[in-house]
Amino acid sequence: MRTQVAIIGAGPAGLLLGQLLSRAGIDNVIVEQRSPEYVLGRIRAGILESVTVDALERAGVAARLHDEGLPHEGIELSFNGQRHRIDVHALTGRRVTVYGQTEVTRDLMAARQAGGIPTIYGAEDVSLHDFDGTRPLVRYRKDGITHEIQCDYIAGCDGFHGVSRQSAPAGSTKLFERVYPFGWLGILSDTPPVSEELIYAGHERGFALCSMRSRTRSRYYVQVPSSERVEDWSDERFWDELRSRLDTQAAESLVTGPSIEKSIAPLRSFVCEPMRFGSLFLAGDAAHIVPPTGAKGLNLAASDVLYLADALIERYQKNDPRELDSYSEKCLRRIWKAERFSWWMTSLLHRFPDADAFSVRIQQAELGYLVGSEAACRALAENYVGLPY
Ligand code: APR
Ligand code: PHB
């Protein structure tokens, strides 16, 4: 098979890139190791920056998002038993939209299928070849038969554990990483959200987050030690722990019910530099991970993909490779700012097991300063809605 761009991975990054390229008349094939059902079974964050909404509009997949997404104009910070609203819209003129990543993925998959654009699901042993030359090749096995895709470019959109970053030549990457000594235990439940807006809670028992997927479906998280096992958390234990970390009013109005999903996600910050190796370009989680505090993961994937789609369009329509040449540098500038913000929000609100009394006081002082200072609130708000693309 021959195509212009071979895309590895059918997560939101790969699917969005495919859609933007197809709409610009650029042939692409997606090679995904899992099934569509498996990809849609993963529960991830659900806050879209306006840049991400614009990208989904440009990709022609924003109709349901506009019908069902919930625009949010603020967030609440909770600590010392009190809640403080940060009016993100008043401070920045912008909003975020609550719409689950699963739904974004579903809409992108449906559009790709409707357009009849090839996607190979269940591809085994995917390997990338010759991307230092002019004839890159992707090889995979399906139903016991080996296949090859010849292409001009390879987009590595295969997430943190994918093959693309690992295919970069030895010694050509610089990796930056921080692993946090805790995770988020999350549940999804068909119960009305405890509050109209998200509550980010810092508490001496640990961080908690009250989020949602719709007016009838809630998503809640509590910080747990990395060693914790999900089997040890009954629904009842989860609800009790969450309640203990909220202010009295939220704790009293919390509606509980059976969980429909429960899992623990580790927290990590990670960046791979550069994001280009010859004709191979990394995008999304393949190149970087942020801890979920601040919900930047999907949004960063979307901004990488916008840069990459535009660069490939320039290359094909004007035979101009300059945007491809600056892709990595341009992405990394935005990525590091989001890494900083996600690390900062994580540090501000979580309990670190090795924190001494001084660090705890500094954390409290920072929270107090933040909610009392319009300048500090604006700095949070402009990062939360997304820095300029
Ligand atoms: N070959 C083919 N496909 C692969 C391979 C491989 N060797 N390894 C992984 N994949 C697939 C995975 O099965 C997955 O469907 O690549 C896809 C990567 O998707 P994601 O992990 O969702 O990554 P990305 O598309 O970059 O999305 C970023 O996801 O993890 C969140 O916080 C993150 O919200 C952000 C978003
Ligand atoms: C979520 O709804 O899953 C969510 C929301 C905000 C975050 C992280 C996760 O910061």
Side-chain angles (χ1 to χ4, degrees):
M1 194 195 296
R2 150 117 214 129
T3 190
Q4 289 175 300
V5 182
I7 300 172
I8 316 300
L15 287 164
L16 178 60
L17 178 64
Q19 200 59 20
L20 294 172
L21 294 180
S22 296
R23 283 170 81 90
I26 299 171
D27 283 346
N28 60 91
V29 175
I30 296 186
V31 181
E32 162 64 52
Q33 67 179 3
R34 305 287 191 170
S35 66
E37 298 72 33
Y38 182 95
V39 172
L40 286 173
R42 292 189 290 231
I43 310 285
R44 301 261 175 84
I47 303 290
L48 309 183
E49 294 175 359
S50 48
V51 171
T52 306
V53 173
D54 294 347
L56 294 167
E57 268 167 13
R58 192 175 137 191
V61 294
R64 202 159 66 91
L65 156 66
H66 287 311
D67 277 353
E68 297 175 19
L70 304 174
H72 275 203
E73 300 197 340
I75 59 168
E76 297 202 274
L77 286 186
S78 162
F79 58 94
N80 287 345
Q82 294 211 313
R83 267 192 271 164
H84 308 261
R85 179 166 191 266
I86 298 187
D87 191 332
V88 166
H89 184 253
L91 290 161
T92 64
R94 290 157 64 206
R95 307 176 169 78
V96 295
T97 304
V98 173
Y99 190 68
Q101 179 172 319
T102 312
E103 304 313 313
V104 171
T105 309
R106 197 187 305 283
D107 296 343
L108 284 162
M109 277 181 176
R112 190 166 179 93
Q113 198 176 10
I117 314 158
T119 313
I120 296 136
Y121 285 101
E124 295 167 58
D125 295 336
V126 176
S127 57
L128 320 186
H129 306 271
D130 299 335
F131 49 84
D132 54 344
T134 50
R135 295 176 62 82
L137 186 78
V138 174
R139 196 171 286 141
Y140 64 93
R141 202 158 44 79
K142 186 161 165 134
D143 303 327
I145 300 167
T146 299
H147 301 263
E148 289 187 348
I149 305 175
Q150 290 176 350
C151 55
D152 302 330
Y153 298 103
I154 302 173
C157 302
D158 48 352
F160 182 64
H161 300 287
V163 68
S164 299
R165 188 182 67 252
Q166 284 156 22
S167 305
S172 63
T173 55
K174 200 163 178 189
L175 307 180
F176 302 83
E177 185 169 37
R178 176 150 306 181
V179 177
Y180 301 85
F182 41 72
W184 280 15
L185 167 65
I187 71 165
L188 198 60
S189 71
D190 278 326
T191 51
V194 67
S195 170
E196 289 262 300
E197 295 182 329
L198 269 62
I199 305 176
Y200 288 86
H203 189 274
E204 62 188 28
R205 295 182 63 84
F207 171 74
L209 171 62
C210 304
S211 180
M212 66 194 73
R213 290 291 174 271
S214 70
R215 292 188 202 289
T216 55
R217 182 168 285 188
S218 298
R219 179 78 169 150
Y220 296 108
Y221 300 93
V222 292
Q223 172 191 350
V224 292
S226 303
S227 54
E228 211 68 17
R229 290 165 0 128
V230 73
E231 300 76 46
D232 296 331
W233 285 84
S234 63
D235 288 357
E236 201 184 356
R237 182 175 174 207
F238 179 90
W239 292 120
D240 286 346
E241 188 59 46
L242 175 64
R243 228 185 260 108
S244 76
R245 299 183 189 188
L246 301 178
D247 62 280
T248 314
Q249 197 224 324
E252 282 173 358
S253 53
L254 180 71
V255 180
T256 64
S259 63
I260 48 180
E261 196 266 352
K262 195 191 287 154
S263 54
I264 297 182
L267 265 69
R268 182 194 302 272
S269 296
F270 172 84
V271 180
C272 167
E273 295 184 2
M275 291 168 63
R276 177 194 184 167
F277 310 91
S279 313
L280 167 64
F281 295 82
L282 303 181
D285 277 17
H288 44 77
I289 297 286
V290 285
T293 335
K296 291 291 167 225
L298 173 59
N299 295 295
L300 271 187
S303 61
D304 291 352
V305 163
L306 279 171
Y307 289 137
L308 185 54
D310 283 340
L312 287 165
I313 292 168
E314 285 285 301
R315 162 69 187 84
Y316 281 113
Q317 292 182 351
K318 301 191 188 140
N319 200 20
D320 184 348
R322 279 176 301 174
E323 292 288 312
L324 284 177
D325 292 341
S326 56
Y327 168 75
S328 178
E329 203 186 315
K330 209 165 162 182
C331 286
L332 285 164
R333 272 201 295 271
R334 194 169 194 273
I335 289 160
W336 273 113
K337 288 177 190 154
E339 289 284 345
R340 185 209 65 83
F341 177 65
S342 308
W343 161 84
W344 172 77
M345 252 190 110
T346 303
S347 313
L348 180 70
L349 291 163
H350 290 72
R351 272 293 154 132
F352 286 72
D354 58 353
D356 57 12
F358 181 84
S359 318
V360 173
R361 283 283 188 276
I362 291 289
Q363 205 181 33
Q364 288 167 344
E366 185 160 15
L367 280 166
Y369 165 66
L370 174 62
V371 298
S373 157
E374 189 186 295
C377 283
R378 198 187 302 279
L380 184 154
E382 72 174 353
N383 281 280
Y384 195 77
V385 295
L387 292 175
Y389 154 69

